[in-house]
Amino acid sequence: EVQLLESGGGLVQPGGSLRLSCAASGFTFSSSAMTWVRQAPGKGLEWVASIIDSGGSTYYANSVKGRFTISRDNSKNTLFLQMNSLRVEDTAIYYCAKGGIGLAQGVDPWGQGTLVTVSS
Amino acid sequence: QSVLTQPPSVSAAPGQTVTISCSGSSSNIGNNYVSWYQQLPGTAPKLLIYANNQRPSGIPDRFSGSKSGTSATLGITGLQTGDEADYYCGTWDSSLSAGVFGGGTKLTVL
């Protein structure tokens, strides 16, 4: 069974940093693109970033470009999202998901999400 | 304002059929795969349709997807109260080099 377990969320002040992790199991992690998607309270889904299987290429939403970094450790089956210069508007549930939104197989499955709250 | 446009809400009675539209452009829907996601209240999204019209194993054939030009449609037949959820379309935008989602459609089964 494919499982994705996010961790690292919490309360942080504006301008602060946070590193999210996503532990993957049940599939060949090193052969799968991975994606982060977020959802602000009461709002819709927002694609944040994606990374290819090797980690050699990364893609970011304009809203996070230059502040967030997606990376992976294929030896530890773990996906990361380093978030710097956090803003109030980054407050959201952050989901880790297998695949890529533009790939034929879509994004599936999704983790349960981790809540990031940016507030003073 | 989302790159992909969905109706904010749709409703229908149990047993009826509903369609949810997703409108985009040649840089996204027109030249990339579309997928659809169901988000039940308080849960993570789940893949319903991939590659425009394919259902993952375990998804009932009451759910269908189609794409024509720069628009995509999700169809749900034999509506059940358990289908009440938010539905999102998603694809890649080649001009933005970014993933994009529709704003979401809230389905109410009356």
Side-chain angles (χ1 to χ4, degrees):
Chain A
E1 178 192 6
V2 174
Q3 288 196 336
L4 299 168
L5 186 61
E6 302 96 334
S7 60
L11 175 63
V12 61
Q13 291 188 336
S17 297
L18 216 52
R19 190 194 199 200
L20 305 183
S21 299
C22 172
S25 62
F27 66 102
T28 307
F29 181 75
S30 59
S31 297
S32 296
M34 296 294 294
T35 292
W36 287 100
V37 177
R38 68 185 181 183
Q39 186 170 35
K43 302 297 184 182
L45 302 177
E46 180 186 13
W47 175 84
V48 173
S50 291
I51 187 169
I52 67 170
D53 50 7
S54 67
S57 291
T58 56
Y59 307 88
Y60 297 94
N62 283 338
S63 58
V64 307
K65 198 172 295 183
R67 301 187 298 123
F68 289 12
T69 301
I70 187 172
S71 63
R72 62 193 299 159
D73 185 339
N74 285 347
S75 69
K76 296 183 178 179
N77 291 350
T78 304
L79 178 71
F80 302 102
L81 186 67
Q82 177 67 43
M83 304 185 295
N84 299 330
S85 303
L86 282 162
R87 305 167 180 169
V88 171
E89 54 266 34
D90 294 320
T91 295
I93 296 173
Y94 284 73
Y95 296 103
C96 155
K98 175 178 174 286
I101 192 68
L103 299 178
Q105 75 269 28
V107 179
D108 177 63
W110 301 52
Q112 86 291 344
T114 187
L115 178 62
V116 172
T117 303
V118 184
S119 174
S120 54
Chain B
Q1 198 78 350
S2 301
V3 172
L4 305 180
T5 301
Q6 296 181 234
S9 64
V10 295
S11 62
Q16 296 296 304
T17 296
V18 70
T19 60
I20 297 173
S21 61
C22 176
S23 178
S25 68
S26 58
S27 66
N28 43 66
I29 291 178
N31 284 284
N32 291 288
Y33 290 111
V34 176
S35 48
W36 288 90
Y37 303 87
Q38 176 193 59
Q39 187 175 32
L40 297 169
T43 69
K46 180 176 78 171
L47 179 68
L48 273 184
I49 298 289
Y50 67 96
N52 306 327
N53 56 17
Q54 302 298 303
R55 278 178 289 106
S57 60
I59 300 299
D61 59 7
R62 301 188 298 107
F63 295 89
S64 64
S66 65
K67 187 179 99 167
S68 179
T70 59
S71 292
T73 302
L74 174 70
I76 311 173
T77 61
L79 277 172
Q80 302 174 1
T81 55
D83 295 332
E84 285 203 334
D86 293 321
Y87 293 84
Y88 297 89
C89 58
T91 188
W92 186 256
D93 191 296
S94 303
S95 294
L96 299 174
S97 288
V100 290
F101 285 101
T105 299
K106 183 176 182 61
L107 169 64
T108 301
V109 181
L110 303 168

